Amino acid sequence: MSLIDEKPVNPEGKEYFSGIIENIVYSNEENGYAILDFAIDTNEIVTVVGTLPYVFEGDSLTVYGKWVNNPKYGAQFKVEQYEKIMPADAVAILKYLSSGAVKGIGPKTAQRIVEQFGDETFDVMENHPDWLADINGISYKKAIDIAEDFKNKAGMRAAMMFFRNYFGTTMTVKIYQKWGGKAVDIAKHNPYRLCDEIDGIGFEKADEIARELGIESDSAERVMSGVRYVLNFNANQNGHTCLPYDRLVQASAMMLEVPESRVESAIEVLLKFEKIAYSIYDGEKYIFDKVLYDSEKYISEKLLSIDKNCINPDTSDILSYISKEESENGIKYAELQRQAIKEAMSNGFMILTGGPGTGKTTVVRALLKIFKGMGMKVALAAPTGRAAKRLSESTSSEAKTIHRMLEMSYESNDSVFLRDEKNYLDESVVIVDEISMADTPLFCALLKAIKPGARLIIIGDANQLPSVGAGNVLRDLIDCGRFATVELTEIFRQAKESLIITNAHKINSGEMPVLDVSNNDFFFLARKSDSEIANTVVDLCKNRLPKAYGAQIVNRIQVISPSRRGAGGVDNLNILLQNALNPSKTSNSYIHRTRTFKIGDKVMQTKNNYQIEWEKDSQKGCGVFNGDIGEITEINAR
């Protein structure tokens, strides 16, 4: 009987079987993803897919995972973990080395090595590499290089074996890429380095490994890591770049279940080795993770430098530029708009804020024309793809996400910006809209790329929610009172006609919004339950809004829900809206976990992917970012 039917299960609850790689259909060297033709014990060839780094044709593996049904390619075994079974006799060793598994060894060299050392070949390569130099065609340097590559791959095997009960293959590869052949030794010595240094591993998982290794619960390594975990948790979940010393001590001691004195000692050690930092404000001590502390310090110093060193026109010249712009375009700027334009031209760094409908975009358009008229190169940017697209449409000028403007790249499993202090942006003026969505690390990266003598103008609504990440950049910069800031408050006539805008200003002023108007762009529909809300949302998207605004409105509708779960949550609404707006049953669909994706579905990217390449209308690029929206036009499940 086929193993596909039997589906044996290992003690951890995963299906598994052993076999030999007959053919590597596809392999991605960067992330380890592979598609294999796999021969199992019944002489049956099955398709195995998943993260399988450092495997070669002829390798013997035991794979753990589950069977999935690919709509296009049929049954496939999706690997979650695997073990490589090293060949034990001369015949198997020859086949393994001849496959190119070890760098520097081809079929002829493999033949000579195995003829010389037989079953002891691997022992020689690992423990006596200089013996390889006795073989014709292998120099001493080449022998050492061969041994190094062999040991690295042995280290990967050791990592796979050690971490298999804690992580999937993808995370194990990430750990190995960080520490190489020392990965297992590092984890055994101090498992808390996993959560301190490897993105995506939490303190709880490192704590679990430490317990199984017998590390004491009040060990210095555990308490120090716990302190950093509390700081990073509050940064990632609550947006705080720092915590008061006393609160950090109390929270850490409670979480770790250790005396506060142990936490205080750990903080002193972390400060000594500059893993964390502190600052005194109003007589109270605040503790930062070192990365965020350095980011905030750099931001303050760079902004002062930008503001001081930028060359500004004379006041009379500025006023003439504004008057010329008004005359050429037949418009009259409001007093606060004139002040905003003047401040932007008079200062190296300037903040423009204001609620919806107050004319911020009008100011940006004016600045673009004036600066370009002065022969200056201007860059427009925003934190998200959608915000950049809106900015581009409203100004008729190219606008990029901050990530794209800074040329985000991916190196050694880490994201980096190619534009920085060593490779400045070319533009003399940088204008960034919707800055309230930028967190502290991103704003710091932006400042590093701005060249000496250039000016920076940031724009946003200080009443909007702060960024998802750590920091409240816009509000803090306004509150510090150090930099030129103009707040636009006048709502212009066209904007006043929008109930969305007037209600937004009412809410910001602490007033009750208007809810009893049904013939404007803001209206309130009362419903008593989540299911009623969900049904009403579907009816609005499918029937009522298209009837009122035309069928083309469907692709422009965005539904926002405060939660993922429940009848009115994002997950259920997505299913209901898909069934209502894209009900077609197509064989060319893709099922991922509990979700079905079909051609015609509207989709949104939910996390940054800096590596993926794309092409649209003869334009090519790299990277898709959180918030980018598109439509599925083709599905290739493989």
Side-chain angles (χ1 to χ4, degrees):
M1 181 179 287
S2 166
L3 284 180
I4 295 178
D5 298 322
E6 292 177 347
K7 296 183 180 178
V9 178
N10 68 356
E12 287 76 29
K14 296 184 179 72
E15 301 170 48
Y16 74 100
F17 53 83
S18 300
I20 299 174
I21 299 175
E22 287 289 324
N23 178 43
I24 297 178
V25 179
Y26 171 81
S27 178
N28 185 315
E29 292 185 3
E30 291 186 4
N31 59 27
Y33 182 81
I35 302 172
L36 312 176
D37 287 335
F38 199 68
I40 55 181
D41 295 340
T42 56
N43 294 321
E44 180 179 1
I45 302 294
V46 299
T47 301
V48 169
V49 300
T51 304
L52 294 132
Y54 310 113
V55 297
F56 299 88
E57 293 178 7
D59 277 353
S60 296
L61 307 178
T62 297
V63 291
Y64 300 83
K66 61 183 178 181
W67 289 100
V68 297
N69 183 49
N70 184 293
K72 187 173 183 179
Y73 298 102
Q76 296 178 336
F77 190 79
K78 187 175 182 180
V79 173
E80 297 175 13
Q81 297 171 339
Y82 76 92
E83 298 173 14
K84 182 179 286 190
I85 306 167
M86 292 302 292
D89 57 57
V91 175
I93 291 172
L94 176 59
K95 184 175 181 181
Y96 174 77
L97 293 179
S98 297
S99 70
V102 178
K103 188 177 180 181
I105 298 180
K108 292 182 179 179
T109 304
Q111 181 75 37
R112 289 195 291 267
I113 293 174
V114 175
E115 285 177 354
Q116 179 89 351
F117 302 111
D119 295 350
E120 305 301 319
T121 295
F122 286 164
D123 178 66
V124 170
M125 292 173 66
E126 186 168 1
N127 300 309
H128 309 285
D130 53 310
W131 295 3
L132 295 173
D134 295 337
I135 296 174
N136 185 36
I138 300 180
S139 65
Y140 178 80
K141 182 181 183 306
K142 184 174 181 180
I144 299 302
D145 290 342
I146 288 172
E148 184 69 22
D149 190 64
F150 180 76
K151 288 178 181 178
N152 283 338
K153 290 181 170 63
M156 184 64 200
R157 292 194 299 276
M160 286 291 180
M161 293 294 290
F162 179 78
F163 293 116
R164 64 177 178 171
N165 292 327
Y166 308 112
F167 308 112
T169 304
T170 302
M171 183 56 72
T172 301
V173 171
K174 195 173 184 179
I175 296 169
Y176 183 76
Q177 288 176 338
K178 176 75 173 180
W179 292 326
K182 299 178 181 179
V184 174
D185 289 339
I186 289 173
K188 284 183 176 180
H189 178 70
N190 181 8
Y192 295 101
R193 286 184 64 180
L194 290 166
C195 61
D196 292 342
E197 300 180 31
I198 307 295
D199 187 36
I201 297 180
F203 176 81
E204 294 89 345
K205 181 59 69 174
D207 214 23
E208 175 190 339
I209 297 172
R211 284 195 301 271
E212 294 190 9
L213 291 172
I215 295 176
E216 296 294 333
S217 62
D218 65 344
S219 69
E221 291 82 7
R222 180 174 186 263
V223 180
M224 286 191 290
S225 182
V227 168
R228 295 185 70 187
Y229 169 76
V230 172
L231 284 173
N232 286 317
F233 178 87
N234 277 275
N236 296 328
Q237 299 298 318
N238 303 321
H240 304 310
T241 57
C242 61
L243 286 177
Y245 177 87
D246 292 342
R247 191 181 302 176
L248 174 61
V249 170
Q250 293 167 5
S252 300
M254 185 179 300
M255 183 197 77
L256 296 169
E257 297 180 340
V258 298
E260 290 187 2
S261 59
R262 294 290 292 165
V263 175
E264 291 170 346
S265 298
I267 290 175
E268 291 304 313
V269 175
L270 289 168
L271 286 169
K272 179 180 178 180
F273 288 98
E274 297 186 346
K275 298 296 183 181
I276 60 175
Y278 76 93
S279 180
I280 304 295
Y281 182 74
D282 280 350
E284 187 167 7
K285 190 175 186 178
Y286 290 85
I287 305 295
F288 295 73
D289 181 83
K290 188 63 163 56
V291 173
L292 286 173
Y293 176 83
D294 289 343
S295 295
E296 290 212 343
K297 185 178 179 182
Y298 183 89
I299 287 171
S300 61
E301 292 174 350
K302 183 63 179 280
L303 287 178
L304 289 171
S305 175
I306 290 174
D307 205 40
K308 177 182 178 181
N309 297 323
C310 184
I311 300 174
N312 301 306
D314 293 333
T315 302
S316 58
D317 292 335
I318 293 173
L319 295 176
S320 65
Y321 275 118
I322 296 174
S323 298
K324 180 183 178 183
E325 181 62 25
E326 287 180 324
S327 175
E328 289 181 353
N329 291 279
I331 59 175
K332 182 70 175 176
Y333 295 118
E335 188 57 39
L336 282 175
Q337 289 179 319
R338 288 178 65 88
Q339 181 185 342
I341 297 169
K342 180 181 175 182
E343 295 289 355
M345 299 178 67
S346 303
N347 296 276
F349 175 58
M350 181 263 188
I351 304 167
L352 175 62
T353 184
T358 55
K360 297 190 295 294
T361 301
T362 300
V363 172
V364 174
R365 285 197 292 259
L367 290 173
L368 276 172
K369 292 180 180 178
I370 291 173
F371 284 131
K372 288 180 179 179
M374 296 169 65
M376 303 171 74
K377 293 180 66 176
V378 183
L380 288 178
T384 68
R386 297 202 73 193
K389 184 179 180 181
R390 286 196 302 268
L391 180 61
S392 181
E393 291 172 347
S394 63
T395 60
S396 299
S397 299
E398 182 187 17
K400 300 178 180 179
T401 63
I402 297 176
H403 293 85
R404 285 199 175 107
M405 182 175 70
L406 300 183
E407 298 178 19
M408 172 67 80
S409 183
Y410 213 69
E411 297 178 1
S412 301
N413 229 28
D414 291 318
S415 56
V416 296
F417 291 112
L418 300 182
R419 294 287 185 170
D420 55 18
E421 298 133 310
K422 297 178 181 178
N423 184 25
Y424 291 118
L425 293 168
D426 299 325
E427 290 80 4
S428 301
V429 181
V430 178
I431 301 175
V432 185
D433 196 10
E434 299 285 5
I435 198 66
S436 61
M437 292 190 283
D439 59 21
T440 296
L442 181 61
F443 191 62
C444 179
L446 169 67
L447 293 181
K448 288 181 178 180
I450 294 177
K451 66 183 181 181
R455 72 181 69 239
L456 173 65
I457 300 157
I458 63 172
I459 305 163
D461 184 350
N463 291 310
Q464 288 183 344
L465 291 173
S467 62
V468 175
N472 192 356
V473 173
L474 178 60
R475 172 51 65 188
D476 287 348
L477 288 174
I478 293 173
D479 290 346
C480 79
R482 173 61 181 79
F483 302 105
T485 303
V486 176
E487 180 180 6
L488 302 179
T489 56
E490 180 183 353
I491 305 175
F492 292 93
R493 182 185 63 79
Q494 194 172 11
K496 286 180 180 177
E497 297 174 1
S498 168
L499 198 53
I500 291 176
I501 291 177
T502 54
N503 274 342
H505 284 272
K506 282 181 176 292
I507 292 169
N508 286 335
S509 301
E511 302 176 36
M512 188 69 182
V514 177
L515 302 177
D516 56 357
V517 175
S518 59
N519 61 348
N520 206 298
D521 57 5
F522 182 109
F523 51 92
F524 175 72
L525 302 174
R527 295 294 183 268
K528 295 181 179 180
S529 68
D530 280 3
S531 58
E532 289 183 16
I533 291 172
N535 291 333
T536 300
V537 168
V538 173
D539 183 47
L540 283 165
C541 294
K542 183 180 180 181
N543 302 312
R544 296 172 62 177
L545 292 176
K547 183 178 180 181
Y549 297 99
Q552 75 281 356
I553 197 68
V554 173
N555 288 330
R556 298 172 60 189
I557 296 173
Q558 187 76 31
V559 178
I560 301 174
S561 174
S563 65
R564 299 196 66 86
R565 299 179 180 178
V570 170
D571 293 336
N572 187 53
L573 282 172
N574 277 337
I575 295 172
L576 295 178
L577 288 167
Q578 183 188 49
N579 292 336
L581 301 175
N582 190 20
S584 60
K585 295 181 180 179
T586 172
S587 58
N588 193 7
S589 60
Y590 178 70
I591 300 175
H592 177 69
R593 296 177 183 170
T594 59
R595 298 177 182 173
T596 300
F597 294 90
K598 298 186 292 185
I599 291 176
D601 282 347
K602 187 178 180 182
V603 291
M604 181 172 70
Q605 184 75 9
T606 57
K607 63 180 180 179
N608 295 333
N609 184 332
Y610 308 112
Q611 291 177 293
I612 192 169
E613 296 180 355
W614 53 266
E615 182 175 351
K616 180 182 179 182
D617 299 332
S618 74
Q619 285 189 322
K620 294 183 178 181
C622 186
V624 291
F625 304 100
N626 185 18
D628 285 353
I629 289 177
E631 180 182 324
I632 297 176
T633 58
E634 182 181 350
I635 294 177
N636 183 347
R638 202 165 190 174

